[in-house]
Amino acid sequence: MIKFLDLKQVNLRYAKELKNRFTDVLDSGWYLLGENLQRFEENLAEYLGVKYVIGTGSGLDALLLILQAYMEMGCMKEGDEVIVPANTYIASILAVSKNRLTPVLAEPDLRSYNLDIARLEQHITKRTKAIMVVHLYGQTCWSKDIDVLAEKYNLKIIEDNAQAIGAEWFGKKTGSLGHAAGLSFYPGKNLGALGDGGAVATNDPELAQIVSALRNYGSHRKYINDYEGCNSRLDEIQAAFLDVKLRHLEKENAYRRKMAALYLSGINNSRVILPTLFTPEQPKSHVWHLFVIRTPDRDRLQKYLEKSGIQTLIHYPVPPHK
């Protein structure tokens, strides 16, 4: 059986480096908010091209904390609206609803599966405070029109960069395009931990300072709690593992592009709708977290592939509004 995702094989390539870093963390006796996290945050910030990265417990927490921080800053309040793709994973929307903000679902472009940017403005009301841009399946969702909308309506642009780390838009990495970005290091991601983890990326010093406190009980100094925070810290072991794998990310993404090119050139069937590279002049705009096809014979095709020893998954079987 060709597995949809074989995490053992994925991490086996770096086993020696990972084991060495595990030993270093174990021997250090320091397992939270230490040197390994600081090193990874600095290296990831440099890679993305942003000033600040703050490690969190998960990708969902990263998005939650961005929105909570903006509420603490007075940029939005309960009941305000955040435009979100209607076909995203539920985590994008939970980050909005858990902050008692209102998600406004916007339809995707059927070629890229990302937000239909041309139709975004029709969703903007007096209560709209942000657009959450999801770089779905690894493809960059961006346009100069997003910057125009942000300026015209004084909106925050939040990137859900859970699936597209390393993707680029005219030389700029996703995660550095908007006002803030949430990243996920769930094991199956292009940059995956050996557990869970996430991060916030931003160039905004005030946002970074507040998120840094919020992830640690709302505290910058022990027992002094400035905000109603939570416990969402990327631990030292995962930070050390991720720092190892970050060094190999460009190579891994290049391999994904190579495999995607083989699929795109090799699959020729009129009943299979292949994914589209929305900006073909920018091959690095896609890191192919997933290779998603559409077909009216989906269930039959999936059963056929399973019988042929090829595992597939549906992304996603239940839309968020249900």
Side-chain angles (χ1 to χ4, degrees):
M1 172 66 75
I2 299 172
K3 294 183 179 180
F4 181 79
L5 178 63
D6 190 337
L7 287 174
K8 182 177 179 180
Q9 289 300 317
V10 167
N11 291 305
L12 203 57
R13 295 193 284 273
Y14 314 116
K16 185 176 180 180
E17 291 176 89
L18 294 171
K19 288 175 182 178
N20 287 340
R21 292 298 292 271
F22 173 81
T23 300
D24 290 343
V25 174
L26 183 66
D27 291 346
S28 75
W30 194 287
Y31 309 124
L32 286 170
L33 299 179
E35 291 181 0
N36 285 284
L37 177 60
Q38 183 178 351
R39 183 185 304 116
F40 173 63
E41 289 174 337
E42 290 172 353
N43 288 340
L44 182 56
E46 182 179 2
Y47 175 79
L48 294 174
V50 297
K51 293 179 181 177
Y52 310 100
V53 164
I54 305 99
T56 62
S58 70
L60 170 57
D61 282 356
L63 295 173
L64 278 165
L65 295 177
I66 289 169
L67 289 168
Q68 186 181 350
Y70 277 135
M71 294 175 80
E72 295 285 356
M73 293 164 65
C75 300
M76 52 189 79
K77 61 183 184 305
E78 287 188 20
D80 282 342
E81 296 173 351
V82 178
I83 297 172
V84 189
N87 61 321
T88 186
Y89 184 58
I90 192 67
S92 310
I93 292 165
L94 285 175
V96 179
S97 60
K98 285 290 236 178
N99 276 297
R100 295 188 175 86
L101 297 164
T102 303
V104 176
L105 304 185
E107 290 300 310
D109 178 291
L110 269 180
R111 294 167 295 168
S112 67
Y113 309 134
N114 278 328
L115 276 172
D116 188 339
I117 295 170
R119 296 165 65 186
L120 274 179
E121 192 166 16
Q122 70 188 45
H123 296 285
I124 297 173
T125 72
K126 291 181 179 179
R127 295 172 63 190
T128 306
K129 300 299 180 185
I131 300 172
M132 186 175 290
V133 173
V134 181
H135 306 297
L136 200 63
Y137 307 144
Q139 179 152 219
T140 306
C141 177
W142 201 255
S143 161
K144 62 182 181 181
D145 295 332
I146 293 179
D147 286 323
V148 170
L149 289 175
E151 187 172 348
K152 181 177 179 180
Y153 295 100
N154 192 27
L155 303 177
K156 297 297 182 185
I157 307 300
I158 301 163
E159 296 174 77
D160 181 337
N161 198 31
Q163 298 186 7
I165 187 168
E168 296 182 8
W169 184 255
F170 291 99
K172 287 189 70 175
K173 292 277 198 301
T174 54
S176 70
L177 300 171
H179 295 99
L183 295 90
S184 169
F185 306 126
Y186 179 78
K189 295 297 194 293
N190 291 35
L191 179 62
L194 276 69
D196 218 335
V200 171
T202 186
N203 286 312
D204 185 333
E206 184 180 5
L207 181 77
Q209 184 182 43
I210 294 174
V211 168
S212 182
L214 288 173
R215 72 170 176 184
N216 188 37
Y217 301 100
S219 172
H220 285 297
R221 291 182 296 154
K222 197 169 184 177
Y223 304 128
I224 306 297
N225 303 83
D226 301 309
Y227 309 99
E228 188 176 343
C230 64
N231 178 0
S232 181
R233 301 171 296 207
L234 181 63
D235 66 64
E236 286 286 284
I237 287 176
Q238 297 305 333
F241 288 162
L242 288 164
D243 200 44
V244 167
K245 296 180 73 176
L246 178 62
R247 296 199 297 271
H248 302 279
L249 181 59
E250 286 293 300
K251 179 181 68 178
E252 292 282 358
N253 283 343
Y255 181 75
R256 287 173 180 266
R257 292 189 185 104
K258 181 181 177 181
M259 292 299 101
L262 287 174
Y263 287 146
L264 290 170
S265 63
I267 299 173
N268 295 289
N269 187 309
S270 61
R271 296 184 68 77
V272 174
I273 302 167
L274 294 170
T276 300
L277 192 63
F278 198 61
T279 50
E281 73 278 10
Q282 294 189 78
K284 288 190 174 182
S285 66
H286 208 322
V287 292
W288 299 99
H289 171 60
L290 298 170
F291 190 93
V292 178
I293 66 168
R294 296 187 357 252
T295 175
D297 300 314
R298 185 187 73 180
D299 294 344
R300 193 156 65 95
L301 176 59
Q302 189 174 36
K303 288 177 182 177
Y304 169 77
L305 290 171
E306 186 177 5
K307 286 180 181 178
S308 302
I310 300 169
Q311 196 176 53
T312 59
L313 290 178
I314 307 298
H315 288 82
Y316 300 100
V318 182
H321 72 277
K322 292 187 176 180

